[in-house]
Amino acid sequence: MLAMERIGYLFGGFAALMAVVYGVWNDFTEPVGVVGLTLGALLGFMIAGYLNITRRKLDGVPPEDDPLGEISDIAGDYGFFSPHSWWPLWLAASSALIFLGLAIGWWLVALGAFFTIPALVGWVFEYWKGPHAL
């Protein structure tokens, strides 16, 4: 995590330096490049800051930063992945219908939204169990 944090600070510093160089080179007459590089610098600093805050909240040294650590120290549960869900297919098809509607007509966007909302709700609540299940 410490290495990724340093890479974020390095990227942010480089993008900030290049924003200044780009602005001076063009006498700040073309603002799009300066804005893009500044946003890139802010993105790098934001990621590095998040990693810094997260690293400080952890107890002790994270396994990836321990020079004597073993690969098995990081092993753990990566989460639950649905083996046979059809909801992503319907969500992708209805989202494609929305984006196709942006080129063809707004009526197709409305039709795609009509199919996207149930597909999204179905995918989110697919494994929701209990007395208040849908």
Side-chain angles (χ1 to χ4, degrees), residues 109-124:
V109 172
L111 183 66
F114 178 75
F115 289 117
T116 298
I117 292 170
L120 183 63
V121 169
W123 193 19
V124 168

Side-chain angles (χ1 to χ4, degrees), residues 36-116:
L37 286 167
T38 303
L39 290 175
L42 292 175
L43 176 69
F45 289 135
M46 181 181 68
I47 291 172
Y50 171 76
L51 290 173
N52 185 355
I53 291 169
T54 305
R55 183 177 50 84
R56 284 189 286 145
K57 284 183 180 179
L58 295 175
D59 294 333
V61 178
E64 61 266 16
D65 290 340
D66 186 9
L68 300 175
E70 297 289 329
I71 292 177
S72 60
D73 294 341
I74 294 180
D77 187 24
Y78 286 108
F80 174 74
F81 299 98
S82 180
H84 50 76
S85 178
W86 285 91
W87 289 111
L89 176 69
W90 299 119
L91 185 62
S94 57
S95 298
L97 198 62
I98 288 176
F99 287 110
L100 183 66
L102 294 176
I104 294 177
W106 289 104
W107 62 273
L108 200 55
V109 172
L111 183 66
F114 178 75
F115 289 117
T116 298

